[in-house]
Amino acid sequence: HGSRFLPYKRGMGLAHLRPDGFVSVRAGRREGDLTTKPFSWPSGMLQVNYRLLGGNQWRYTDVSASDGWVGLELLDVAGNVIPGYSRNESDPLYHDALAAEPTWSGKPQDLDPIIGKTVRLRFCIGSAELYSFRSTATG
């Protein structure tokens, strides 16, 4: 560490990473999109691991004051939005989460119609870091 107070020129440190948090995709104040490669949806609920940037992510009483958000679209293999799962219908995720379950139009997830179908996910991100996503069926 280069400190003259360490007589044996050795040191120890500890790093703490969030689960599944070694690498992320980051968008600043200007919104960015990330579209996955096509994959077959196995079943289960979709969960998203993300972190908001800025200082307002803990204002649970006023989500409009949040600096960051994550939105989500479901796409077919050709890249067309699956009806009912567009960005405009996506309920923005406003609070840091390791396993947030996105919703569309305020309804609980119902991904049964896409089980076994080839889909893509398009994440719309502003002032946030996206770490990972998963299906609860795949653990």
Side-chain angles (χ1 to χ4, degrees):
H1 289 68
S3 173
R4 62 188 172 117
F5 300 107
L6 292 174
Y8 303 108
K9 298 197 187 275
R10 295 183 182 130
M12 183 181 294
L14 173 67
H16 175 72
L17 295 175
R18 65 188 285 132
D20 236 0
F22 188 70
V23 68
S24 69
V25 173
R26 182 181 198 161
R29 293 200 180 274
R30 184 172 172 183
E31 182 177 326
D33 292 346
L34 172 84
T35 305
T36 66
K37 292 182 177 182
F39 65 96
S40 177
W41 184 254
S43 69
M45 302 290 280
L46 172 64
Q47 293 183 333
V48 181
N49 179 355
Y50 66 96
R51 182 178 77 91
L52 302 180
L53 305 175
N56 294 332
Q57 63 264 35
W58 299 113
R59 292 185 185 172
Y60 287 96
T61 57
D62 184 9
V63 294
S64 63
S66 179
D67 287 343
W69 74 95
V70 175
L72 189 62
E73 287 185 320
L74 291 180
L75 311 173
D76 63 20
V77 69
N80 302 312
V81 176
I82 297 172
Y85 297 97
S86 71
R87 167 68 171 103
N88 293 334
E89 295 164 299
S90 174
D91 299 319
L93 302 171
Y94 285 120
H95 306 293
D96 293 358
L98 297 173
E101 294 181 352
T103 58
W104 288 264
S105 300
K107 301 175 206 163
Q109 282 185 29
D110 179 17
L111 302 180
D112 289 346
I114 64 168
I115 293 175
K117 294 186 177 175
T118 302
V119 296
R120 302 172 94 174
L121 302 176
R122 179 180 295 144
F123 293 92
C124 307
I125 310 164
S127 293
E129 293 178 312
L130 175 66
Y131 290 96
S132 63
F133 68 91
R134 70 184 185 117
S135 162
T136 56
T138 59

